[in-house]
Amino acid sequence: MRTDTAARHVACIMDGNGRWAQQRGLPRTLGHKAAESAIDAVIKAALEEEVAWLTLFAFSTENWSRPQEEVSSLMDIGYQFLRNKVHEWHRAGIRFRCLGEPSSRISDGLRQELQYAQQLTQDNDKMTLTVAVNHGGRSEIVRAARNLIEEQVPAEEVTEESFGQHLPKPDMPDVDLVIRTSGEHRLSNFALWRCAYAEFAFPEVLWPDFRAEHFRQALALYAQRQRRFGGVTGSIPQPRSPQPQSPDGLVASLPCLSNVLSLPGGIATRLGGHLLTGLYDTARYAKAQLETRPTARL
Ligand code: IPE
Ligand code: IPE
Ligand code: MG
């Protein structure tokens, strides 16, 4: 279910296929094949969670430096997978899009299939699934600069907004949450412009083992984050630590304190917790005093 704290655009840097295969004594290509189950799972979960934009980083501008056999095998696996899935995605209302530099190095079969999938699904509106193939954040920025120059846009009209409008797929919103598997903590040149204020989650699994529960955990983590965009205000999440307990085991509940004190809910709840803890301590102390003193002297 969507809430104010839900991520609108989630991107996955699908990493760890090679290590997944190597751990099993298999060729790396079987790791790429095993990645298909994770892709299935994440698309299904994203639809269920009503994520509007899901982007999957599949092949970077730097991945051409891999051995030729691995590159060919990646193209072939991508082509077969897309061919198998495109109608299922279409039925689910997914708009499929491809992000990346067009290149004659992308196999003919995959290029045609990418084209077909985009045309077939262009009017769907349940979720936009973008697959980044031959994508590089820097190359995107260079492309935007070239477009501006070609259009002879005057320098004073080059703003963050106009620059963003010259990136490939200009309607794509900034990334809210980047999920990178496999324990690597880097962007690897992914969507540099649109990740300017992204939040990050690093589940400790290799991509072929990534499932809906990991995706949901990342969304839950995101919902707890305070996004300030350089400011000092913003949505303040509820405290993660348990509420203070009364001596009788009652959970302290202060629904109206934020209204009474005109404070944001999170701060009011935390303040209320401290106040109540202090009250309980005082009550406990007074009770102990009463028990130790003779009644006559009270
Ligand atoms: C991600 O898995 C797939 C691509 C980059 C195409 P890797 O192939 O990078 O797997 P590791 O990082 O070597 O384990
Ligand atoms: C990033 O993974 C690219 C994709 C997941 C498609 P890499 O495995 O290529 O990244 P590095 O080389 O470890 O940074
Ligand atoms: Mg890798």
mmCIF file of all heavy atoms in Angstrom, residues 219-239:
data_model
loop_
_atom_site.group_PDB
_atom_site.id
_atom_site.type_symbol
_atom_site.label_atom_id
_atom_site.label_comp_id
_atom_site.label_asym_id
_atom_site.label_seq_id
_atom_site.Cartn_x
_atom_site.Cartn_y
_atom_site.Cartn_z
ATOM 1 N N LEU A 219 12.419 -1.480 1.299
ATOM 2 C CA LEU A 219 11.369 -0.437 1.286
ATOM 3 C C LEU A 219 11.065 0.022 2.710
ATOM 4 O O LEU A 219 10.855 1.216 2.961
ATOM 5 C CB LEU A 219 10.084 -0.955 0.639
ATOM 6 C CG LEU A 219 10.099 -1.285 -0.853
ATOM 7 C CD1 LEU A 219 8.693 -1.653 -1.312
ATOM 8 C CD2 LEU A 219 10.626 -0.128 -1.691
ATOM 9 N N ALA A 220 11.041 -0.926 3.647
ATOM 10 C CA ALA A 220 10.752 -0.580 5.046
ATOM 11 C C ALA A 220 11.867 0.296 5.613
ATOM 12 O O ALA A 220 11.616 1.273 6.333
ATOM 13 C CB ALA A 220 10.580 -1.848 5.874
ATOM 14 N N LEU A 221 13.103 -0.042 5.261
ATOM 15 C CA LEU A 221 14.254 0.748 5.703
ATOM 16 C C LEU A 221 14.141 2.176 5.154
ATOM 17 O O LEU A 221 14.347 3.157 5.866
ATOM 18 C CB LEU A 221 15.517 0.084 5.137
ATOM 19 C CG LEU A 221 16.834 0.304 5.829
ATOM 20 C CD1 LEU A 221 16.789 -0.314 7.219
ATOM 21 C CD2 LEU A 221 17.953 -0.350 5.012
ATOM 22 N N TYR A 222 13.772 2.254 3.887
ATOM 23 C CA TYR A 222 13.618 3.558 3.233
ATOM 24 C C TYR A 222 12.556 4.403 3.949
ATOM 25 O O TYR A 222 12.737 5.601 4.171
ATOM 26 C CB TYR A 222 13.239 3.367 1.759
ATOM 27 C CG TYR A 222 12.872 4.655 1.075
ATOM 28 C CD1 TYR A 222 13.854 5.466 0.518
ATOM 29 C CD2 TYR A 222 11.544 5.082 1.016
ATOM 30 C CE1 TYR A 222 13.522 6.676 -0.082
ATOM 31 C CE2 TYR A 222 11.203 6.289 0.417
ATOM 32 C CZ TYR A 222 12.196 7.074 -0.122
ATOM 33 O OH TYR A 222 11.870 8.266 -0.701
ATOM 34 N N ALA A 223 11.459 3.747 4.331
ATOM 35 C CA ALA A 223 10.357 4.486 4.971
ATOM 36 C C ALA A 223 10.786 5.087 6.308
ATOM 37 O O ALA A 223 10.175 6.040 6.788
ATOM 38 C CB ALA A 223 9.163 3.557 5.164
ATOM 39 N N GLN A 224 11.846 4.554 6.904
ATOM 40 C CA GLN A 224 12.343 5.076 8.189
ATOM 41 C C GLN A 224 13.346 6.210 8.012
ATOM 42 O O GLN A 224 13.735 6.849 8.986
ATOM 43 C CB GLN A 224 13.044 3.952 8.972
ATOM 44 C CG GLN A 224 12.115 2.873 9.507
ATOM 45 C CD GLN A 224 11.253 3.382 10.644
ATOM 46 O OE1 GLN A 224 11.642 4.301 11.353
ATOM 47 N NE2 GLN A 224 10.094 2.800 10.807
ATOM 48 N N ARG A 225 13.795 6.430 6.778
ATOM 49 C CA ARG A 225 14.853 7.421 6.561
ATOM 50 C C ARG A 225 14.311 8.839 6.651
ATOM 51 O O ARG A 225 13.161 9.094 6.278
ATOM 52 C CB ARG A 225 15.487 7.224 5.177
ATOM 53 C CG ARG A 225 16.157 5.876 4.992
ATOM 54 C CD ARG A 225 17.585 5.912 5.480
ATOM 55 N NE ARG A 225 18.151 4.570 5.539
ATOM 56 C CZ ARG A 225 18.710 3.931 4.508
ATOM 57 N NH1 ARG A 225 18.782 4.526 3.339
ATOM 58 N NH2 ARG A 225 19.220 2.730 4.661
ATOM 59 N N GLN A 226 15.142 9.756 7.115
ATOM 60 C CA GLN A 226 14.776 11.173 7.122
ATOM 61 C C GLN A 226 15.419 11.821 5.912
ATOM 62 O O GLN A 226 16.644 11.958 5.868
ATOM 63 C CB GLN A 226 15.305 11.844 8.387
ATOM 64 C CG GLN A 226 14.680 11.313 9.644
ATOM 65 C CD GLN A 226 15.213 12.053 10.873
ATOM 66 O OE1 GLN A 226 15.855 13.087 10.767
ATOM 67 N NE2 GLN A 226 14.932 11.505 12.033
ATOM 68 N N ARG A 227 14.617 12.224 4.952
ATOM 69 C CA ARG A 227 15.166 12.868 3.751
ATOM 70 C C ARG A 227 15.062 14.371 3.954
ATOM 71 O O ARG A 227 13.966 14.911 4.041
ATOM 72 C CB ARG A 227 14.399 12.411 2.513
ATOM 73 C CG ARG A 227 14.438 10.915 2.351
ATOM 74 C CD ARG A 227 13.901 10.482 1.035
ATOM 75 N NE ARG A 227 14.863 10.703 -0.050
ATOM 76 C CZ ARG A 227 14.546 10.636 -1.337
ATOM 77 N NH1 ARG A 227 13.312 10.406 -1.698
ATOM 78 N NH2 ARG A 227 15.472 10.809 -2.260
ATOM 79 N N ARG A 228 16.193 15.023 4.022
ATOM 80 C CA ARG A 228 16.166 16.461 4.325
ATOM 81 C C ARG A 228 16.533 17.322 3.130
ATOM 82 O O ARG A 228 16.328 18.521 3.160
ATOM 83 C CB ARG A 228 17.080 16.745 5.517
ATOM 84 C CG ARG A 228 16.529 16.207 6.819
ATOM 85 C CD ARG A 228 17.366 16.629 8.007
ATOM 86 N NE ARG A 228 18.616 15.907 8.065
ATOM 87 C CZ ARG A 228 18.763 14.728 8.653
ATOM 88 N NH1 ARG A 228 17.743 14.166 9.261
ATOM 89 N NH2 ARG A 228 19.926 14.117 8.650
ATOM 90 N N PHE A 229 17.129 16.755 2.097
ATOM 91 C CA PHE A 229 17.501 17.506 0.889
ATOM 92 C C PHE A 229 18.254 18.794 1.235
ATOM 93 O O PHE A 229 18.008 19.843 0.652
ATOM 94 C CB PHE A 229 16.249 17.813 0.044
ATOM 95 C CG PHE A 229 15.546 16.561 -0.416
ATOM 96 C CD1 PHE A 229 14.420 16.091 0.262
ATOM 97 C CD2 PHE A 229 16.021 15.832 -1.495
ATOM 98 C CE1 PHE A 229 13.780 14.928 -0.142
ATOM 99 C CE2 PHE A 229 15.392 14.667 -1.905
ATOM 100 C CZ PHE A 229 14.268 14.212 -1.230
ATOM 101 N N GLY A 230 19.123 18.690 2.206
ATOM 102 C CA GLY A 230 19.943 19.848 2.583
ATOM 103 C C GLY A 230 19.303 20.749 3.605
ATOM 104 O O GLY A 230 19.963 21.632 4.155
ATOM 105 N N GLY A 231 18.023 20.559 3.883
ATOM 106 C CA GLY A 231 17.327 21.423 4.846
ATOM 107 C C GLY A 231 17.425 20.875 6.252
ATOM 108 O O GLY A 231 18.227 19.971 6.531
ATOM 109 N N VAL A 232 16.617 21.407 7.131
ATOM 110 C CA VAL A 232 16.631 20.931 8.511
ATOM 111 C C VAL A 232 15.295 20.322 8.916
ATOM 112 O O VAL A 232 15.199 19.694 9.950
ATOM 113 C CB VAL A 232 17.005 22.033 9.528
ATOM 114 C CG1 VAL A 232 18.467 22.391 9.433
ATOM 115 C CG2 VAL A 232 16.139 23.259 9.339
ATOM 116 N N THR A 233 14.282 20.546 8.105
ATOM 117 C CA THR A 233 12.982 19.975 8.447
ATOM 118 C C THR A 233 12.777 18.709 7.634
ATOM 119 O O THR A 233 13.718 18.172 7.095
ATOM 120 C CB THR A 233 11.852 20.966 8.137
ATOM 121 O OG1 THR A 233 11.988 21.369 6.786
ATOM 122 C CG2 THR A 233 11.884 22.143 9.061
ATOM 123 N N GLY A 234 11.553 18.268 7.548
ATOM 124 C CA GLY A 234 11.262 17.079 6.756
ATOM 125 C C GLY A 234 10.497 16.115 7.595
ATOM 126 O O GLY A 234 10.266 16.348 8.779
ATOM 127 N N SER A 235 10.141 15.013 6.988
ATOM 128 C CA SER A 235 9.331 14.053 7.730
ATOM 129 C C SER A 235 10.208 13.376 8.763
ATOM 130 O O SER A 235 11.305 12.915 8.472
ATOM 131 C CB SER A 235 8.728 13.035 6.788
ATOM 132 O OG SER A 235 9.730 12.187 6.331
ATOM 133 N N ILE A 236 9.752 13.395 9.978
ATOM 134 C CA ILE A 236 10.508 12.776 11.066
ATOM 135 C C ILE A 236 9.817 11.469 11.425
ATOM 136 O O ILE A 236 8.679 11.450 11.855
ATOM 137 C CB ILE A 236 10.587 13.712 12.285
ATOM 138 C CG1 ILE A 236 11.367 14.968 11.872
ATOM 139 C CG2 ILE A 236 11.231 13.031 13.468
ATOM 140 C CD1 ILE A 236 11.387 16.059 12.882
ATOM 141 N N PRO A 237 10.498 10.346 11.218
ATOM 142 C CA PRO A 237 9.840 9.062 11.462
ATOM 143 C C PRO A 237 9.654 8.791 12.945
ATOM 144 O O PRO A 237 10.293 9.425 13.783
ATOM 145 C CB PRO A 237 10.806 8.046 10.859
ATOM 146 C CG PRO A 237 12.135 8.714 10.896
ATOM 147 C CD PRO A 237 11.879 10.177 10.771
ATOM 148 N N GLN A 238 8.781 7.860 13.240
ATOM 149 C CA GLN A 238 8.575 7.461 14.626
ATOM 150 C C GLN A 238 9.858 6.811 15.145
ATOM 151 O O GLN A 238 10.607 6.215 14.380
ATOM 152 C CB GLN A 238 7.423 6.457 14.711
ATOM 153 C CG GLN A 238 6.089 7.049 14.286
ATOM 154 C CD GLN A 238 5.705 8.263 15.110
ATOM 155 O OE1 GLN A 238 5.593 8.187 16.310
ATOM 156 N NE2 GLN A 238 5.521 9.398 14.451
ATOM 157 N N PRO A 239 10.132 6.955 16.461
ATOM 158 C CA PRO A 239 11.374 6.362 16.977
ATOM 159 C C PRO A 239 11.373 4.859 16.772
ATOM 160 O O PRO A 239 10.335 4.217 16.870
ATOM 161 C CB PRO A 239 11.345 6.711 18.468
ATOM 162 C CG PRO A 239 9.955 7.118 18.764
ATOM 163 C CD PRO A 239 9.344 7.597 17.495
#
